[in-house]
Amino acid sequence: MAQPTILLVDDEPEIIDLLEIYLKNEGYRLLRASNGIEAMDVLKKEEVDLIVLDIMMPKMDGIEACLKIRQEKNMPIIMLSAKSQDMDKILGLSTGADDYVSKPFNPLELIARIKSQLRRYTRLNVGQPNKDHELEVDDLTINTATHEVKLDGRELRLTPREFAILELLVRHRGTVWSIQKIYEAVWKEAYLDSDNTVMVHIRKIREKIEDNPRKPRFIKTVWGVGYKVE
């Protein structure tokens, strides 16, 4: 199996140097960039499996870079930022990031999150197209082997976390899933009551799969309980 390639994007060389030590010890191949523009250049030349992306950078910050990356790429993105306010976290996740880690952070925690994201992304992308891997709701098709989502034959671009939430709800059609259960099933972590992460992801999914996100056809809100796909 080829070494997973991680792109580290941060304008603080000491942080990249520290992460490089830990990641190389885990057997990962590392690429470096100091801002969003450099990161985009790297992605044009290299195949990358996961990106660790700082938010506050010169020339092109992490938010703008994430938006541009998501126009073409689906690999997991973990945001880094010294900001720890809920709105900053929500903004990062709204642009297409799959996870968010506040500085200062424990390198071992970040390594664990990288491993988790890579496992999930690899699992979702392994296999060949096969009807056994397809889930359908009306004209919405989800292929769990190729990680493709199509609406009336048109391919939609979902992040790995968005895909995992949609797959969960479609696979259990008719079942209402609370925000807590969705978070714990997809993120594999304990849920905190103040965390708006699931709601942000549901909103982004609806923007991609619904003709009118305010009147969703696929993902229904059961007020006071959670979400379901009918």
Side-chain angles (χ1 to χ4, degrees):
M1 181 177 177
Q3 286 180 304
T5 298
I6 312 295
L7 172 58
L8 302 176
V9 189
D10 199 309
D11 62 331
E12 298 182 66
E14 60 273 16
I15 288 185
I16 291 186
D17 291 341
L18 175 64
L19 291 177
E20 193 169 40
I21 293 171
Y22 281 88
L23 289 168
K24 283 188 173 178
N25 284 340
E26 295 290 336
Y28 296 122
R29 173 175 175 254
L30 277 301
L31 301 172
R32 303 167 63 127
S34 60
N35 57 64
I37 293 175
E38 289 184 11
M40 299 302 294
D41 289 338
V42 171
L43 291 172
K44 291 177 182 177
K45 304 171 186 175
E46 300 276 357
E47 290 293 329
V48 173
D49 297 295
L50 180 144
I51 303 174
V52 177
L53 182 64
D54 187 35
I55 289 182
M56 303 299 290
M57 296 182 295
K59 297 184 180 179
M60 182 189 289
D61 64 24
I63 298 297
E64 185 178 356
C66 188
L67 286 169
K68 289 182 178 294
I69 291 167
R70 280 292 177 242
Q71 292 175 5
E72 299 181 359
K73 306 287 187 180
N74 285 328
M75 81 283 283
I77 297 176
I78 299 177
M79 286 285 203
L80 294 180
S81 178
K83 297 182 177 181
S84 58
Q85 298 299 314
D86 282 346
M87 287 308 299
D88 296 313
K89 179 177 181 180
I90 291 170
L91 178 60
L93 294 171
S94 295
T95 60
D98 299 284
D99 207 346
Y100 185 106
V101 177
S102 299
K103 295 179 179 178
F105 57 85
N106 183 331
L108 294 177
E109 178 188 353
L110 180 58
I111 299 301
R113 295 192 183 210
I114 288 172
K115 288 181 177 179
S116 175
Q117 288 293 330
L118 286 173
R119 280 196 302 269
R120 184 175 293 110
Y121 185 65
T122 299
R123 187 184 74 245
L124 292 173
N125 283 279
V126 169
Q128 298 299 320
N130 188 307
K131 284 291 183 181
D132 293 339
H133 299 291
E134 289 189 355
L135 303 172
E136 295 183 353
V137 182
D138 295 333
D139 53 351
L140 182 70
T141 303
I142 302 169
N143 191 309
T144 60
T146 62
H147 197 217
E148 291 179 327
V149 177
K150 293 183 179 181
L151 182 62
D152 195 22
R154 175 173 57 89
E155 186 173 354
L156 308 176
R157 293 186 178 275
L158 272 65
T159 69
R161 283 279 167 84
E162 291 168 356
F163 185 94
I165 292 171
L166 183 59
E167 179 190 352
L168 177 73
L169 294 176
V170 172
R171 192 177 289 280
H172 300 276
R173 289 178 64 174
T175 300
V176 180
W177 284 73
S178 68
I179 290 175
Q180 178 178 345
K181 286 184 177 180
I182 292 173
Y183 187 91
E184 291 175 350
V186 173
W187 275 263
K188 309 298 184 185
E189 297 175 0
Y191 173 75
L192 300 177
D193 288 340
S194 61
D195 198 318
N196 294 318
T197 301
V198 171
M199 288 185 288
V200 171
H201 279 72
I202 292 289
R203 177 170 60 80
K204 297 301 290 185
I205 295 169
R206 282 173 168 166
E207 289 174 356
K208 295 177 180 181
I209 71 172
E210 302 284 2
D211 295 329
N212 183 354
R214 294 182 179 277
K215 295 181 179 179
R217 180 160 60 103
F218 297 109
I219 300 179
K220 304 287 189 178
T221 300
V222 181
W223 294 106
V225 184
Y227 301 97
K228 69 174 180 177
V229 170
E230 294 180 341

